């Protein structure tokens, strides 16, 4: 993806079952001074024929070269929604800072409990129908593709792998980041509370902001514009 020189690349990490295409429309929906640069995990969309990651640290390591290419030589910001996306954004932030080539100007995490929270579900033994019911209950979202048996068979392995990454993840580094963090909670979220999201303040020694936006857990899928306004104004102020 070509990034304009005047824009800060925003590396976007997907929620469980999500892909890069979710974020592509953002560049035509009001981002100012920021260009969404989604990263694609294997096992979905154009990488559907690749084996999905089942370990979150391995996923962050595997995504790092793409992240550095998308960042270029300048400043970069990261965004992750729900626990998988937020944890990947957090782990990639650590790796980008450690690589020393880019300044991470901001980390945005959305509708996610912090890395120290530990797992909240165990879906390994669920049947496919039970698993999809659990996903719908905890996210308030069901993709229509799962109503078609052929598509369900294609998409379920990566979705299950994403939940395995969630359930087995532990952060290997507790030293706070010297990176500003904005943690966003959805005011109508019945799965992840404001208190849960506030726990992200422990991951940074820099500025921390807790912001509420309207909607349920999957609010970016309904209307991302308040989120994009927040990201644009935050980057501009930084």
């Amino acid at each position: 993806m070509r990034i304009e020189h005047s824009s800060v690349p925003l590396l976007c990490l997907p929620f469980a079952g999500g892909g890069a295409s979710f974020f592509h429309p953002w560049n035509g929906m009001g981002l100012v001074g920021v260009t969404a640069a989604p990263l694609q995990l294997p096992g979905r969309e154009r990488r559907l024929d690749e084996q999905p990651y089942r370990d979150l640290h391995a996923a962050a390591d595997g995504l790092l070269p793409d992240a550095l290419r998308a960042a270029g030589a300048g400043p970069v910001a990261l965004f992750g929604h729900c626990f998988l996306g937020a944890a990947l954004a957090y782990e990639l932030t650590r790796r980008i800072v450690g690589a020393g080539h880019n300044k991470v100007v901001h980390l945005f995490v959305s509708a996610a409990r912090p890395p120290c929270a530990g797992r909240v579900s165990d879906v390994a033994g669920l049947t496919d129908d039970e698993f999809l019911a659990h996903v719908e209950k905890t996210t308030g979202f069901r993709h229509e593709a799962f109503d078609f048996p052929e598509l369900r068979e294609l998409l379920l392995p990566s979705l299950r792998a994403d939940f395995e990454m969630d359930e087995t993840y532990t952060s290997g580094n507790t030293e706070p980041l010297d990176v500003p963090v904005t943690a966003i909670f959805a005011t109508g979220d019945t799965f992840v509370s404001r208190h849960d999201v506030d726990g992200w303040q422990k991951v940074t020694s820099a500025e921390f902001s807790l912001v509420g936006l309207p909607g349920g857990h999957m609010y970016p899928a309904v209307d991302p514009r308040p989120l994009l306004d927040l990201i644009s104004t935050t980057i501009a102020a930084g």
Side-chain angles (χ1 to χ4, degrees):
M1 173 179 291
R2 182 175 179 270
I3 304 296
E4 299 295 335
H5 293 299
S6 59
S7 293
V8 174
L10 177 73
L11 307 185
C12 300
L13 284 306
F15 47 89
S21 65
F22 179 84
F23 302 102
H24 287 153
W26 285 14
N27 288 320
M29 296 182 69
L31 278 174
V32 178
V34 183
T35 302
L39 300 179
Q40 185 71 282
L41 285 165
R44 66 211 72 202
E45 297 181 352
R46 64 179 176 80
R47 301 184 66 182
L48 184 61
D49 59 342
E50 300 177 41
Q51 287 295 313
Y53 287 112
R54 297 183 179 278
D55 177 83
L56 196 140
H57 287 284
D61 289 339
L63 287 172
L64 182 59
D66 288 343
L68 293 175
R69 278 193 292 271
V76 63
L78 291 92
F79 170 86
H81 178 73
C82 203
F83 184 74
L84 179 68
L88 280 171
Y90 166 71
E91 289 293 342
L92 271 173
T93 297
R94 287 201 170 277
R95 286 158 173 77
I96 294 170
V97 170
H101 301 305
N102 302 86
K103 179 181 180 181
V104 180
V105 294
H106 216 92
L107 169 62
F108 297 90
V109 291
S110 166
R113 62 193 191 280
C116 62
R119 71 182 189 178
V120 295
S121 63
D122 184 357
V123 301
L126 299 183
T127 67
D128 288 347
D129 287 339
E130 291 169 339
F131 172 64
L132 288 175
H134 172 79
V135 173
E136 185 173 3
K137 178 182 178 181
T138 56
T139 66
F141 181 77
R142 179 184 175 89
H143 199 291
E144 61 184 12
F146 289 109
D147 295 328
F148 299 90
E150 298 84 358
L151 291 176
R152 185 162 109 160
E153 185 177 348
L154 284 173
L155 299 175
L156 264 177
S158 62
L159 184 58
R160 280 191 175 273
D162 286 352
F163 270 76
E164 185 174 339
M165 281 197 281
D166 181 338
E167 293 174 356
T168 59
Y169 168 70
T170 56
S171 177
N173 192 333
T174 58
E175 183 178 351
L177 291 164
D178 185 19
V179 173
V181 173
T182 294
I184 304 145
F185 67 93
T187 56
D189 194 340
T190 59
F191 179 52
V192 180
S193 70
R194 172 178 179 155
H195 176 74
D196 291 332
V197 177
D198 191 39
W200 280 93
Q201 64 182 296
K202 298 176 183 177
V203 310
T204 182
S205 59
E207 182 180 354
F208 174 81
S209 298
L210 179 68
V211 179
L213 291 179
H217 185 67
M218 286 299 295
Y219 72 95
V222 178
D223 183 7
R225 287 171 295 183
L227 171 63
L228 304 186
D229 288 344
L230 171 66
I231 291 171
S232 297
T233 57
T234 301
I235 295 298

